[in-house]
Amino acid sequence: MADDKVSREEMKEKPMSFMTLVVLTGLIGGIIFACLAYLAYIFSFTEIPPRVILEPWALGDWKKGWLGTVIAIILIGVISIVAALLYYVTLRRFNNIWAGIAYGIVLFLLVFFVLNPIFPGIRPFNKIDLNTIVTSICLYVLFGLFVGYTISYEENEINSSKKEKEVTSQ
């Protein structure tokens, strides 16, 4: 009977580490929002396809087909891990939606103003149509909100459980 109890305790899943959650949040958020951006491109809400990220580095016409789109979406997911880690380092203690929204706006400004010359598929900001700008801002804000709220919520939960343990141990 004692062996049965030990084996059940060993079989319990260990909770995911906070850093693993941050990495998965970035990856999944990047893939989801890159897919949403692709749908926005298909339905002509934006003139910028996700595969624009491949233009500076990849040669050949394959990047303009379905393979280029799939690889671009995965690459955006991987790059989004870096964005999630950056949020973790800088803003995780802010437990409100405004930090995530602001983070999304900062990412939008970074891509469309600072990194714009790297991507030949993205026209200068003053020549981009209004639908593309509004759609892109919305997607970046939603990405920032998703990443920010997920990370900040988990940080708040960890801090709350630590405080509860301190209170109960006293």
Side-chain angles (χ1 to χ4, degrees):
M1 198 63 138
D3 291 334
D4 186 36
K5 186 177 181 182
V6 171
S7 63
R8 276 190 266 146
E9 288 176 7
E10 289 174 358
M11 293 176 67
K12 286 183 183 176
E13 289 185 36
K14 293 182 179 178
M16 186 184 331
S17 75
F18 191 28
M19 193 54 66
T20 303
L21 176 87
V22 170
V23 169
L24 282 175
T25 299
L27 179 67
I28 292 169
I31 289 172
I32 287 171
F33 288 101
C35 288
L36 288 174
Y38 183 61
L39 283 174
Y41 173 73
I42 288 173
F43 291 115
S44 299
F45 288 112
T46 181
E47 59 189 30
I48 303 169
R51 63 179 177 259
V52 76
I53 197 166
L54 297 174
E55 290 178 357
W57 297 283
L59 297 174
D61 286 338
W62 64 270
K63 64 186 173 189
K64 294 179 181 174
W66 68 269
L67 182 61
T69 300
V70 170
I71 290 174
I73 288 171
I74 293 169
L75 182 60
I76 290 170
V78 171
I79 292 170
S80 295
I81 293 171
V82 176
L85 290 170
L86 186 60
Y87 187 92
Y88 169 77
V89 169
T90 58
L91 300 169
R92 73 175 183 260
R93 300 215 187 276
F94 294 99
N95 191 25
N96 60 38
I97 63 171
W98 298 110
I101 291 171
Y103 187 66
I105 292 171
V106 168
L107 289 176
F108 171 81
L109 295 173
L110 178 72
V111 170
F112 279 82
F113 287 101
V114 177
L115 299 177
N116 186 298
I118 296 174
F119 303 109
I122 302 176
R123 294 185 300 177
F125 189 77
N126 59 350
K127 295 184 180 179
I128 298 174
D129 71 337
L130 187 60
N131 285 339
T132 298
I133 292 171
V134 170
T135 302
S136 298
I137 289 172
C138 290
L139 288 170
Y140 277 90
V141 164
L142 287 173
F143 172 77
L145 187 60
F146 174 78
V147 168
Y149 198 73
T150 302
I151 293 170
S152 295
Y153 177 80
E154 191 63 28
E155 172 78 12
N156 188 45
E157 287 296 308
I158 289 171
N159 289 340
S160 295
S161 66
K162 283 180 184 177
K163 286 178 184 175
E164 283 180 17
K165 286 180 183 178
E166 289 175 4
V167 168
T168 56
S169 66
Q170 291 178 354

